Amino acid sequence: MRRDYLTIVAGMSLLSGVITGVIIYAGGLFAAPRVVAATAPAPTLPPPEVITVLAPTATAAPVPTPAPTAGPVLRARLSHYWPAWGEPSCIGINWVNGECTSTLTDGRIREHWSYFAEWGMACPARFALGTKFKIEGFGTGVWSCVDRGGAINVLPDGTFFLDLMSREQPYIPPGEADTVYDSYSPHGSLVVVVEIMD
């Protein structure tokens, strides 16, 4: 009986081994290995922060503001004219029946020349009509540009003519003004410091 028992145990062991083998085979344990494509792992950290380092910049030293300087000194050669005397004080085409009919303007109004008598003057073109000059000692002391003239220019020495519309030759006591004699003023011209009012 012992032999039968061993035969039964051996048979059951064998049957159990066969069943286990069939299960393993069916489960793919002995199947050929499969090739799986490699994949990159999904990122788990945020991208690194980019930090830009700039070169140091030089800071400019503050520039001191210069102190205001005096404006240029304006030096005028004074002369005079009176249109009622005719040419050259009055343009020929405006001399009618012994009278000067010229009209002048200070840029605001146009009037007969006599309206500007004793406060109007002929100025170089660099000064706009209506420019007012302070000229101490003559009339009210303030004269306005209302006329031009062929010889009323700025000269190489920096002086310029101001031709006052006045009967009287401008006069300043000796020592209070310079007198210049040259090709522009062969008979002499008083040179005075003037100031632009507006």
Side-chain angles (χ1 to χ4, degrees), residues 78-150:
L78 299 184
S79 57
H80 79 115
Y81 72 114
W82 190 246
W85 294 338
E87 292 189 68
S89 295
C90 181
I91 298 173
I93 60 172
N94 291 332
W95 188 253
V96 180
N97 297 325
E99 182 181 337
C100 185
T101 61
S102 294
T103 60
L104 304 172
T105 182
D106 63 358
R108 293 176 298 126
I109 57 170
R110 177 170 289 281
E111 289 287 342
H112 186 265
W113 68 267
S114 60
Y115 174 83
F116 300 102
E118 303 298 336
W119 64 274
M121 62 183 172
C123 303
R126 71 178 269 196
F127 302 110
L129 291 174
T131 301
K132 291 181 174 56
F133 284 89
K134 183 177 182 181
I135 309 173
E136 295 287 349
F138 296 96
T140 63
V142 177
W143 294 75
S144 183
C145 295
V146 297
D147 201 0
R148 302 292 186 209

Side-chain angles (χ1 to χ4, degrees), residues 35-44:
V35 177
V36 178
T39 57
T44 57

